[in-house]
Amino acid sequence: MEQREGYVEHIKFRNDENGYTIFQLSRPGEPEELTCVGVFPDISEGEYVLLSGDMTTHVLYGEQLQVSKFEISVPKDRLAMERYLGSGAIKGIGVTMASRIVSKFGDDTFRILEREPERLAEIKGISDRMAREFHEQFREKQGMRNAMMYLQQYHISGDLAVKIYKQYGDSMRDILENNPYRMIEDINGIGFKTADSIAERMGISGESEYRIRAGVLYALQLASQYGHVYLPDRELIRFCVDLLGVREDSLSHIIESLSIDRKLKIVTKQTDDCTELQVYSWPSYFAEIAVARMLCNLNTRSDIDEGFVMHRLRKIEDNLDIELDEIQRRAVLEASRNGVMILTGGPGTGKTTTINAIISLFESNGKSILLAAPTGRAAKRMTEATGREAKTIHRLLEVTRMNPDGNDFRHGIFARDESNPLETDVVIIDEVSMVDIHLMNALLRAIPVGTRLILVGDGDQLPSVGPGNVLRDILASGTFASVCLTKIFRQAEESDIVVNAHKIRNGEDIRLDNKSKDFFIMRRSDSSVIISVVSELVRDKLPKYVEATPMDIQVLTPMRKGELGVENLNRMLQDFMNPKNEQKVEYATRGVVFREGDKIMQIRNNYQMEWEVRSARGTIMDSGMGIYNGDIGVIKKINRFAEEMEILFDDNKTVYYPFSSSEDLEHAYAVTIHKSQGSEYPAVVMPVLSGPRMLMTRNLLYTAVTRATRCVTIVGSENAIHQMIANANEQKRYTGLCDRIMECSR
């Protein structure tokens, strides 16, 4: 680390939101100015600064100092004071005014500004009001500087320090020294780990009640990332003991206290064997209760003339040139008479044909219909299958702005809700297995009683990435009309992808003799060889076979870690598919290199990210907000000066993606099977050798196989595939929606 000091000569760029600044440093005795880059929450031209950082060479702008730590030295002589005040650091004081102030008060200038500002009015042109304003600005800048110096000693980064000071102002020290965990609720971007690290450096006890309270809420947050809506109290306590390193007896009263403060909801469930206490975060409990209540309210039943419906249905079959089987016709009848109806079935069982018949029947009755799916790719498939526009659920609900707290861009506010409901007679949602409890809550809020809701999905797919097991819980409640399609139609029977998918779902072994036209295995036993084979398949062999580009072919893997995990596969595939090239600009962060031409995926919902769709001539044809978990795109351009990447996402959405949000991106040459839900690819390549039993499961393999439309290629161990088929275990999710529905329907 190197040290430099001097005057801030010229600020070239500044982001007022996060304090990111580029400026020229004038150093005593040095003829050339030095470019400095870093986070400076409040810095002005003319200030004297002491800087620590690393010298780097920018590909376009040459040598510069990447500042990691700094101090602002208060000007001590008259020339430095005049230079500082004349720089515009205090609005309303220019070069001439600065000269007059320093001439009047000399070395005492800054003391006057801070302690006797009324004396500034002795100078011609400065009123009492102006004097007070100059004083307030000076004090604010001093406060920011002092805060930065204070926070730096606890190794708090500049951009985080800016957020902390802006939130708390002069009360910052008292808050942090007493309860730094308060930052978790108050400041976006600060989670438990960050607050806990700061608290430890500040000497806060590990047994602090504030720490334990924050830790319990964090434990439930972590549990939600594994799909749980609640945790049993004993499991939550055990988890917290391991997480926080505290005694078990210190947790029970904390959980009770959080319940009293309405941070947690404790539900008692009585079974034949025992009494279970279910601990929810309050938002999760509210979401379950609301979903159950709204579904039951929608679940009206109408009397229909079955003969008349069947007569119309036969006409529809003639018009569409289809022939429904008995179960499909029953599905159409159930959709006609029930306010809520669930249609399920595996690949090749005619879900799309049935949906089209349902749509045609409602349209023949003059009903309006809205179609939606959880992801952009699933919505696009729905559009292609029905010939009618389908939207993502987020777009259907019209994301409008960020959360009411004004700073959390990952939790959207929808324009459509109970006060502004969807205006339609029928809502059909596909791929419902992907919908988590919070998105289902938002959707149902926008559907008024009297509107028909048809949920379509595959109950054997993996559950949603987010918390809940919505489709399975709704089915398990037995409260709503449901039809499961089981017959594989003749055309689908010609595909080994479809046939093998059903065998996998039923726990039957599949033939891996490579006599198929669309289902293959390449037996390999060495990880490095598997990676090499996967790379060649994706880049060279499969594109011609399935008439697609290498970017369309998807590598799916059960896990993130390990040689055949997503992280390592993406590093290897990036080098193979999009190698380093002097013509391609790169951006490196957190040990990841993003390169022009890379295939990437959005891994968190960002409701505030703006996108636009342009014509070939560059005209904006459409625009909107929101890039969502699972959206895939390609980096078209990296602009290091503007610090942004131009990314073309699905559906030709162009996003100018700031470097500061890059933690929400990862490479997508390989993705986990869980992340692939709702998508279809011309070809799927699946490297499989071994892995944890909890991951190597039947429904994981079933989900992977059903993502492919033209070809599945497994590279690795045949024995591992047979073991996955035999492993019907699934990771348990703690959800209570089934119970809530049954309570509401009584």
Side-chain angles (χ1 to χ4, degrees):
M1 187 169 290
E2 301 188 33
Q3 281 78 39
R4 299 287 188 274
E5 60 182 274
Y7 290 99
V8 179
E9 189 66 35
H10 173 58
I11 294 177
K12 298 172 68 175
F13 173 81
R14 178 171 180 78
N15 183 327
D16 290 325
E17 289 295 315
N18 58 21
Y20 180 82
T21 307
I22 303 173
F23 66 86
Q24 297 298 115
L25 183 73
S26 173
R27 295 168 290 171
E30 295 287 341
E32 293 186 4
E33 295 175 352
L34 175 65
T35 300
C36 300
V37 179
V39 175
F40 301 87
D42 192 11
I43 198 169
S44 304
E45 293 176 357
E47 291 190 294
Y48 197 83
V49 290
L50 310 175
L51 309 173
S52 299
D54 297 316
M55 294 300 301
T56 61
T57 302
H58 193 282
V59 66
L60 296 178
Y61 310 111
E63 189 177 56
Q64 57 187 30
L65 182 67
Q66 194 75 38
V67 180
S68 56
K69 188 176 180 181
F70 72 95
E71 292 181 25
I72 298 176
S73 177
V74 178
K76 293 183 172 59
D77 58 66
R78 296 189 181 195
L79 180 62
M81 290 180 183
E82 186 174 328
R83 184 174 181 175
Y84 170 73
L85 292 176
S87 70
I90 296 179
K91 294 178 182 177
I93 299 180
V95 175
T96 303
M97 182 74 75
S99 177
R100 290 161 61 190
I101 292 173
V102 175
S103 295
K104 170 74 174 176
F105 299 113
D107 294 341
D108 215 21
T109 296
F110 279 14
R111 190 189 66 79
I112 295 294
L113 271 167
E114 184 176 3
R115 299 182 183 177
E116 300 180 53
E118 67 278 0
R119 291 192 57 192
L120 293 172
E122 297 173 11
I123 298 173
K124 186 177 180 180
I126 299 180
S127 64
D128 289 338
R129 179 184 60 80
M130 291 170 64
R132 287 194 298 272
E133 289 177 356
F134 295 160
H135 164 71
E136 288 169 3
Q137 288 186 59
F138 187 79
R139 286 291 302 272
E140 184 178 345
K141 287 180 177 291
Q142 290 290 92
M144 175 66 85
R145 289 176 192 148
N146 293 338
M148 293 301 295
M149 298 306 106
Y150 170 76
L151 294 173
Q152 277 186 8
Q153 67 181 311
Y154 297 113
H155 309 291
I156 298 173
S157 65
D159 55 345
L160 191 55
V162 173
K163 289 182 179 180
I164 294 172
Y165 183 74
K166 284 185 175 180
Q167 178 69 33
Y168 299 129
D170 292 338
S171 60
M172 177 193 71
R173 288 197 185 198
D174 288 340
I175 290 171
L176 294 191
E177 289 172 2
N178 285 284
N179 179 19
Y181 298 95
R182 179 173 160 181
M183 293 186 292
I184 299 169
E185 293 185 25
D186 293 344
I187 303 174
N188 180 48
I190 296 184
F192 177 79
K193 285 186 176 180
T194 301
D196 201 38
S197 176
I198 292 171
E200 184 179 11
R201 290 194 291 268
M202 298 185 74
I204 302 292
S205 168
E207 298 287 335
S208 161
E209 184 171 325
Y210 292 125
R211 179 174 185 262
I212 298 173
R213 284 173 65 92
V216 170
L217 296 175
Y218 176 59
L220 286 175
Q221 179 188 329
L222 284 179
S224 74
Q225 294 175 17
Y226 290 95
H228 303 301
V229 181
Y230 73 87
L231 284 179
D233 64 327
R234 300 311 307 166
E235 222 168 288
L236 175 61
I237 288 172
R238 281 196 297 270
F239 187 20
C240 289
V241 166
D242 293 338
L243 176 71
L244 304 174
V246 296
R247 299 186 313 277
E248 188 172 312
D249 57 14
S250 65
L251 285 160
S252 295
H253 83 278
I254 295 289
I255 292 173
E256 185 177 341
S257 171
L258 285 166
S259 175
I260 293 170
D261 293 341
R262 294 178 70 84
K263 298 292 186 182
L264 300 179
K265 174 67 177 179
I266 301 176
V267 176
T268 303
K269 182 177 181 180
Q270 190 71 47
T271 65
D272 294 337
D273 299 327
C274 62
T275 299
E276 179 184 78
L277 296 181
Q278 302 171 344
V279 185
Y280 288 80
S281 68
W282 191 257
S284 294
Y285 176 73
F286 175 80
E288 270 199 351
I289 286 288
V291 167
R293 174 180 51 79
M294 290 185 288
L295 280 172
C296 290
N297 289 344
L298 288 172
N299 194 31
T300 57
R301 189 173 175 87
S302 305
D303 292 327
I304 62 170
D305 184 336
E306 286 195 19
F308 180 71
V309 173
M310 293 303 294
H311 173 70
R312 280 206 167 174
L313 191 52
R314 282 191 289 271
K315 285 188 175 182
I316 289 169
E317 290 182 58
D318 290 339
N319 292 336
L320 297 178
D321 193 23
I322 60 175
E323 184 178 351
L324 302 179
D325 68 10
E326 185 180 343
I327 299 178
Q328 289 174 307
R329 291 193 183 102
R330 182 162 66 84
V332 178
L333 286 172
E334 294 295 344
S336 300
R337 65 162 58 99
N338 290 286
V340 177
M341 182 264 188
I342 303 102
L343 177 65
T344 62
T349 57
K351 288 200 302 291
T352 298
T353 302
T354 308
I355 292 170
N356 282 330
I358 291 171
I359 291 172
S360 295
L361 180 65
F362 281 126
E363 287 180 341
S364 71
N365 292 328
K367 303 293 186 183
S368 58
I369 303 169
L370 290 175
L371 309 178
T375 66
R377 290 196 167 203
K380 184 178 180 181
R381 280 176 32 230
M382 198 179 189
T383 298
E384 293 167 350
T386 63
R388 296 159 179 84
E389 182 188 16
K391 299 179 179 180
T392 64
I393 296 174
H394 294 92
R395 202 164 187 203
L396 181 73
L397 299 180
E398 300 174 19
V399 174
T400 58
R401 62 189 187 277
M402 63 181 67
N403 229 18
D405 64 12
N407 60 18
D408 191 347
F409 59 87
R410 289 181 187 152
H411 294 85
I413 296 298
F414 299 107
R416 296 290 183 175
D417 56 18
E418 56 274 351
S419 63
N420 181 30
L422 296 168
E423 297 174 4
T424 189
D425 298 308
V426 183
V427 176
I428 302 178
I429 307 295
D430 199 8
E431 296 285 0
V432 179
S433 63
M434 297 180 63
V435 179
D436 66 33
I437 191 68
H438 298 295
L439 184 57
M440 181 58 77
N441 181 33
L443 173 66
L444 293 176
R445 287 178 61 194
I447 300 178
V449 173
T451 304
R452 295 184 188 277
L453 174 63
I454 299 170
L455 304 175
V456 184
D458 184 345
D460 293 302
Q461 297 279 2
L462 291 170
S464 58
V465 174
N469 211 342
V470 172
L471 178 58
R472 292 191 190 180
D473 281 353
I474 291 173
L475 289 169
S477 73
T479 303
F480 310 99
S482 64
V483 176
C484 179
L485 305 178
T486 56
K487 177 183 175 182
I488 304 176
F489 285 85
R490 188 185 310 166
Q491 186 176 357
E493 285 180 334
E494 297 174 3
S495 167
D496 284 322
I497 294 174
V498 172
V499 172
N500 286 340
H502 283 272
K503 285 184 176 181
I504 291 167
R505 186 185 66 175
N506 296 331
E508 302 171 18
D509 264 339
I510 57 177
R511 289 174 58 189
L512 296 170
D513 55 11
N514 286 340
K515 293 180 180 179
S516 170
K517 293 181 180 179
D518 60 8
F519 204 103
F520 307 99
I521 184 168
M522 302 184 73
R523 295 172 178 83
R524 302 291 188 274
S525 57
D526 182 88
S527 296
S528 60
V529 175
I530 290 174
I531 293 171
S532 178
V533 170
V534 166
S535 301
E536 290 180 10
L537 284 169
V538 173
R539 191 184 72 174
D540 302 326
K541 295 182 178 180
L542 283 175
K544 292 180 182 178
Y545 188 75
V546 297
E547 298 178 341
T549 70
M551 288 295 192
D552 293 326
I553 296 165
Q554 190 60 57
V555 177
L556 299 181
T557 180
M559 62 204 79
R560 292 197 59 83
K561 304 294 184 182
E563 288 187 90
L564 297 182
V566 162
E567 294 174 6
N568 187 55
L569 281 170
N570 271 320
R571 281 192 292 268
M572 305 297 287
L573 287 166
Q574 181 192 33
D575 290 341
F576 200 80
M577 301 276 292
N578 188 32
K580 187 179 181 68
N581 186 310
E582 290 184 0
Q583 304 304 314
K584 296 177 181 177
V585 181
E586 296 180 351
Y587 166 60
T589 177
R590 310 181 325 276
V592 178
V593 176
F594 292 106
R595 184 177 298 143
E596 290 176 346
D598 272 343
K599 181 179 179 181
I600 54 87
M601 174 184 279
Q602 176 79 11
I603 60 171
R604 296 183 186 88
N605 290 339
N606 186 327
Y607 296 92
Q608 294 301 108
M609 190 70 75
E610 296 180 358
W611 54 262
E612 58 191 30
V613 177
R614 293 182 175 269
S615 68
R617 295 185 177 182
T619 305
I620 297 178
M621 301 170 63
D622 194 9
S623 62
M625 292 193 309
I627 298 296
Y628 303 113
N629 188 357
D631 286 353
I632 287 179
V634 175
I635 300 174
K636 307 301 288 187
K637 185 178 179 181
I638 295 177
N639 187 328
R640 299 179 74 113
F641 181 74
E643 297 202 319
E644 66 182 16
M645 294 179 274
E646 180 184 332
I647 301 176
L648 183 64
F649 280 97
D650 291 338
D651 299 331
N652 293 314
K653 294 176 181 176
T654 296
V655 173
Y656 294 94
Y657 210 103
F659 285 180
S660 58
S661 297
S662 63
E663 64 183 13
D664 290 347
L665 294 176
E666 64 180 31
H667 289 104
Y669 299 104
V671 302
T672 61
I673 296 168
H674 224 130
K675 285 283 189 182
S676 73
Q677 290 180 92
S679 297
E680 278 189 351
Y681 314 99
V684 162
V685 180
M686 187 176 173
V688 179
L689 196 56
S690 62
R693 181 172 169 78
M694 62 180 291
L695 285 179
M696 309 294 281
T697 63
R698 180 186 301 170
N699 69 334
L700 198 80
L701 179 61
Y702 174 76
T703 300
V705 168
T706 54
R707 297 308 90 202
T709 59
R710 300 177 212 164
C711 181
V712 170
T713 305
I714 296 166
V715 185
S717 166
E718 178 178 348
N719 188 48
I721 296 300
H722 294 311
Q723 287 176 355
M724 290 180 79
I725 294 171
N727 182 10
N729 294 332
E730 297 179 32
Q731 185 177 356
K732 180 175 175 56
R733 287 193 169 198
Y734 292 110
T735 67
L737 180 60
C738 178
D739 291 337
R740 305 287 91 78
I741 291 172
M742 294 174 72
E743 291 165 3
C744 285
S745 61
R746 286 177 187 146

